[in-house]
Amino acid sequence: MPDHYAPYSCMDNSRQEIARVLVRKISSSLSILGSTHILSLVWKKWRLDGPTKMDPYQRIMAMYGVFDILFSFFYFFLGTWMTPAETGWWGAVGNEKTCTMQGFFFMIGYGTAAYQMTLSLQMLLLVVYMWTPAQFAELLERKLHVFHVFTAIFISLMPIFFDSYNPKCGTCLPVPKPYWCGEWVLGDGSTQCVRGDDTLSGVYQFIFWIIVSLIPMFCTGSMVRIYLSVYLQERRMTKYNFGDEDDDCFKESKRIRNTMLLYTSSFYICWIIPIMCWHAPHSTPALYIVADFFFPLMGFFHMLIFTLPKCVKYQNENPGTNKVVCYFFVIFQNQIDFVKRVIIVKKGADLNNASGVDANSCIFENHNQSLNTENMATTLNSQNNSSQIIVPVSEEGNSIQQAESDAIASSF
């Protein structure tokens, strides 16, 4: 094992190292699944309703999904596969170029925290300051998108010019090589740096702690302010509400409170708790593995929150259904509908075969029937045009045409 790398990816033995790598791949896969599902829902709405019908909330969640997929895939899922093979770590098959690429996408992960803050800001402006979604979209949204994307790319590019993306504990980060060299926070003050700039690494360490400190404070403060504003407003409305129950009066505040707690809790579970486990004094390998499991999961938790209204609707339409079952049907609804269509078509073909009727011949026969009906109606209409007699196409022809159109649409 070279002297420039900590053995076993900073773990005590190879078994702990393998467990840490596998846990990262499992949790990052769930996060990628969640963010991909959010993107598919937003894309479906954009395709059906058009971009003008899109809500800022949906665009914010879509951009969050893009950053989360890049971050989770390159940093957590690929993991040691992108670190230089000379490290000797389990699964390491990369080189300096792949290490630099992984470090770049790690810094791109700044966008996930930035869009978490943007989501809180949007809810704060809409609820407390009575902005409309159109106002937010016109005055702030585009500027925030440009700022977040530009900032994420800028801070990700800077270490490349100083060769400052290097291996540390199983992945590549903006640290010198070895990471304990130089005079920065993690440096021992005596070891000479072989690659990278320890001063730049110290600056990035400072930026990291600024982000970790300010964004949770802003998100928490915004969510509390939202809840208090709605609660106090509905308390004032209660004075003029005769005989209404409290549950009806405070339904809106409860809904916003639940949304607030869900999004803020997911941020604390996936960012704050893992960071505390990693940086706590005398932290154990077990805490490292727990932190590695929860840190990439925010995309998965966001998917659960984003699809919660559909899940509740499905549960109301199917009383007694378990919440997990509801989520399964909501998330995999398109796949389930496709399987149902395949089964129905197969059953129809089996029935036709059993009765000795060719399904394709029936389709062509119905199509010819529809065309003959249309031609007959057109001929009669042209012959009787002077007397204003119009012969409509038969309902049977219309139904056949509609069935064919539905079949074509469903095939796409």
Side-chain angles (χ1 to χ4, degrees):
M1 175 71 64
D3 295 335
H4 297 153
Y5 309 106
Y8 305 120
S9 303
C10 301
M11 304 297 278
D12 293 341
N13 52 60
S14 59
R15 294 177 61 184
Q16 294 175 355
E17 179 186 21
I18 294 173
R20 188 179 192 185
V21 171
L22 294 179
V23 161
R24 285 182 170 185
K25 293 185 186 301
I26 293 172
S27 59
S28 61
S29 299
L30 293 174
S31 186
I32 293 170
L33 170 66
S35 295
T36 303
H37 184 67
I38 292 175
L39 281 175
S40 67
L41 292 177
V42 176
W43 165 252
K44 182 179 179 181
K45 183 172 179 60
W46 182 87
R47 184 169 55 87
L48 295 178
D49 300 338
T52 57
K53 300 293 185 181
M54 296 287 293
D55 188 85
Y57 166 70
Q58 296 165 334
R59 289 191 289 266
I60 290 171
M61 294 304 297
M63 286 301 299
Y64 169 85
V66 171
F67 279 101
D68 180 67
I69 290 171
L70 295 174
F71 175 54
S72 298
F73 178 73
F74 284 98
Y75 184 73
F76 285 106
F77 183 78
L78 294 182
T80 54
W81 291 338
M82 299 192 75
T83 56
E86 64 185 30
T87 60
W89 295 333
W90 187 77
V93 292
N95 50 45
E96 284 187 355
K97 292 182 179 179
T98 59
C99 183
T100 299
M101 182 184 297
Q102 185 180 61
F104 174 85
F105 284 107
F106 169 79
M107 293 307 301
I108 283 289
Y110 150 83
T112 59
Y115 275 101
Q116 179 75 24
M117 185 174 65
T118 304
L119 181 63
S120 299
L121 175 63
Q122 189 225 9
M123 295 178 65
L124 179 69
L125 293 176
L126 264 60
V127 176
V128 178
Y129 297 98
M130 306 301 291
W131 281 34
T132 64
Q135 280 181 296
F136 181 82
E138 181 180 355
L139 298 177
L140 276 182
E141 184 186 2
R142 184 175 298 178
K143 297 175 183 177
L144 288 173
H145 287 311
V146 173
F147 176 78
H148 293 330
V149 173
F150 175 79
T151 304
I153 294 175
F154 177 77
I155 64 175
S156 301
L157 285 174
M158 285 300 296
I160 295 178
F161 300 108
F162 297 90
D163 295 329
S164 289
Y165 283 129
N166 294 290
K168 178 181 180 291
C169 299
T171 53
C172 295
L173 298 167
V175 297
K177 174 184 174 181
Y179 74 84
W180 56 82
C181 72
E183 301 288 341
W184 71 303
V185 179
L186 300 181
D188 57 13
S190 58
T191 304
Q192 185 70 26
C193 294
V194 178
R195 188 173 186 268
D197 189 291
D198 59 324
T199 303
L200 182 67
S201 299
V203 172
Y204 272 71
Q205 188 77 0
F206 176 76
I207 294 174
F208 170 77
W209 285 110
I210 289 293
I211 293 174
V212 170
S213 302
L214 292 183
I215 291 183
M217 291 173 59
F218 179 82
C219 294
T220 304
S222 298
M223 295 298 103
V224 172
R225 183 71 179 88
I226 289 168
Y227 174 73
L228 291 177
S229 175
V230 176
Y231 180 80
L232 293 175
Q233 181 182 5
E234 293 192 348
R235 287 286 294 180
R236 289 193 297 267
M237 293 174 61
T238 306
K239 297 179 181 179
Y240 306 97
N241 199 335
F242 300 98
D244 288 346
E245 296 181 357
D246 288 344
D247 288 342
D248 295 332
C249 295
F250 299 104
K251 182 178 180 181
E252 183 65 13
S253 63
K254 290 178 180 179
R255 185 188 68 81
I256 295 178
R257 179 196 62 189
N258 292 337
T259 305
M260 170 197 70
L261 291 175
L262 288 172
Y263 276 116
T264 307
S265 298
S266 67
F267 185 75
Y268 272 89
I269 291 173
C270 297
W271 272 69
I272 306 304
I273 294 178
I275 289 172
M276 292 174 62
C277 292
W278 283 328
H279 296 278
H282 310 294
S283 185
T284 63
L287 289 178
Y288 287 158
I289 294 174
V290 171
D292 288 333
F293 177 76
F294 283 106
F295 194 76
L297 274 181
M298 191 181 290
F300 180 75
F301 286 143
H302 276 197
M303 177 194 68
L304 298 181
I305 302 169
F306 193 77
T307 57
L308 181 60
K310 289 186 176 181
C311 182
V312 172
K313 180 181 177 182
Y314 184 90
Q315 197 169 32
N316 292 335
E317 294 173 352
N318 301 271
T321 308
N322 186 273
K323 186 74 75 176
V324 176
V325 176
C326 290
Y327 269 114
F328 177 82
F329 279 98
V330 168
I331 294 171
F332 299 102
Q333 182 178 5
N334 293 334
Q335 291 79 359
I336 294 172
D337 291 341
F338 175 77
V339 172
K340 286 181 179 179
R341 287 197 299 269
V342 171
I343 293 174
I344 291 173
V345 170
K346 190 176 185 304
K347 285 183 177 179
D350 292 341
L351 290 174
N352 289 333
N353 291 333
S355 60
V357 179
D358 185 16
N360 291 328
S361 64
C362 288
I363 292 174
F364 284 114
E365 184 178 351
N366 289 336
H367 180 67
N368 292 331
Q369 232 177 359
S370 173
L371 291 176
N372 291 335
T373 306
E374 282 189 52
N375 293 333
M376 188 182 300
T378 305
T379 303
L380 290 174
N381 286 335
S382 62
Q383 289 177 354
N384 298 284
N385 188 38
S386 58
S387 57
Q388 300 297 322
I389 299 176
I390 299 176
V391 180
V393 179
S394 67
E395 294 182 2
E396 180 183 0
N398 278 335
S399 62
I400 294 172
Q401 283 181 306
Q402 184 63 35
E404 291 174 356
S405 300
D406 293 342
I408 293 171
S410 63
S411 65
F412 290 100

